[in-house]
Amino acid sequence: MQILHLDSSISGAASISRILSSNIVKRLVALHPGSTVIYRDLARDPALHLSSEHLAAWQGAGAKDSLLTEDLFKGSAYLEELQESQIVVIGTPMYNLTIPTPLKAWIDRIALVGKTFHYTAKGPEGLLKNKQAYIASSRGGMYSPGNPAAPLEHQESYLIGLLGFLGIKHPTVIRAEGLAISAQVKDAAINQALEDIAAIHA
């Protein structure tokens, strides 16, 4: 069993999504002894955002400098790690109603036609079948269904849609929200999320 663990928060040790994703991975390793964990800290070692130079290189023009060459290798590694993993754990805070940009940069390297999805006469089909995904989500406000701000939520919904598009259906979301409302709300949200992690079963 290979587990791909991604973190994307810029908050370091203060990050709640990092705490949650780490605990999810620990729980999964306990459930699947001997598992290999591949870890990527996307915030501390981000990929470059896509550019015309990337497109030119993919089309055979080659890389113009060492920075681009290194980044192209990084993108290839991202794809290989995802394809070879049976489980992916994504730690993501909400920034400005959506995911952090380093996570989007990762997505832009692994969401590739012919590699992780393809188009058919019946529409797009994901190629990453028979994988599990866990989303460790944190956010300062209340955006879950039933809350007034729910229509503004483009973090979990985007990832769930993207993963489904790639063939990874029904990801498990572990959420801590309302973290900026008060200390009491924050503590309750974190404790509930940790209970949800402890309830994860094989």
Side-chain angles (χ1 to χ4, degrees), residues 96-132:
N96 297 317
L97 308 180
T98 189
I99 63 173
T101 56
L103 180 53
K104 180 59 166 63
W106 177 85
I107 289 169
D108 287 341
R109 302 313 176 81
I110 59 87
L112 299 174
V113 66
K115 300 291 186 179
T116 51
F117 73 96
H118 64 184
Y119 292 108
T120 73
K122 296 182 180 179
E125 178 184 10
L127 302 177
L128 298 180
K129 298 183 171 77
N130 302 315
K131 296 182 186 293
Q132 291 179 285

Side-chain angles (χ1 to χ4, degrees), residues 17-166:
S17 66
R18 287 176 181 271
I19 292 172
L20 299 183
S21 71
S22 176
N23 277 275
I24 291 170
V25 170
K26 289 177 183 177
R27 175 64 177 165
L28 293 172
V29 170
L31 292 169
H32 304 283
S35 294
T36 298
V37 178
I38 305 297
Y39 181 65
R40 285 279 183 178
D41 189 331
L42 302 177
R44 293 177 181 169
D45 183 26
L48 299 175
H49 290 291
L50 290 185
S51 66
S52 58
E53 286 78 13
H54 286 87
L55 296 179
W58 289 336
Q59 293 168 359
K64 294 183 177 180
D65 57 51
S66 59
L67 182 62
L68 180 59
T69 298
E70 180 182 344
D71 195 65
L72 291 168
F73 277 114
K74 181 180 290 184
S76 296
Y78 285 173
L79 179 61
E80 182 178 343
E81 290 162 359
L82 178 60
Q83 290 175 322
E84 294 183 353
S85 296
Q86 290 72 51
I87 301 176
V88 57
V89 177
I90 302 173
T92 175
M94 175 188 275
Y95 291 162
N96 297 317
L97 308 180
T98 189
I99 63 173
T101 56
L103 180 53
K104 180 59 166 63
W106 177 85
I107 289 169
D108 287 341
R109 302 313 176 81
I110 59 87
L112 299 174
V113 66
K115 300 291 186 179
T116 51
F117 73 96
H118 64 184
Y119 292 108
T120 73
K122 296 182 180 179
E125 178 184 10
L127 302 177
L128 298 180
K129 298 183 171 77
N130 302 315
K131 296 182 186 293
Q132 291 179 285
Y134 294 82
I135 299 171
S137 168
S138 65
R139 44 211 195 190
M142 305 292 287
Y143 295 91
S144 55
N147 288 287
L152 301 175
E153 192 278 304
H154 306 292
Q155 172 213 18
E156 294 173 10
S157 57
Y158 171 72
L159 287 174
I160 291 168
L162 182 280
L163 290 168
F165 181 81
L166 300 180

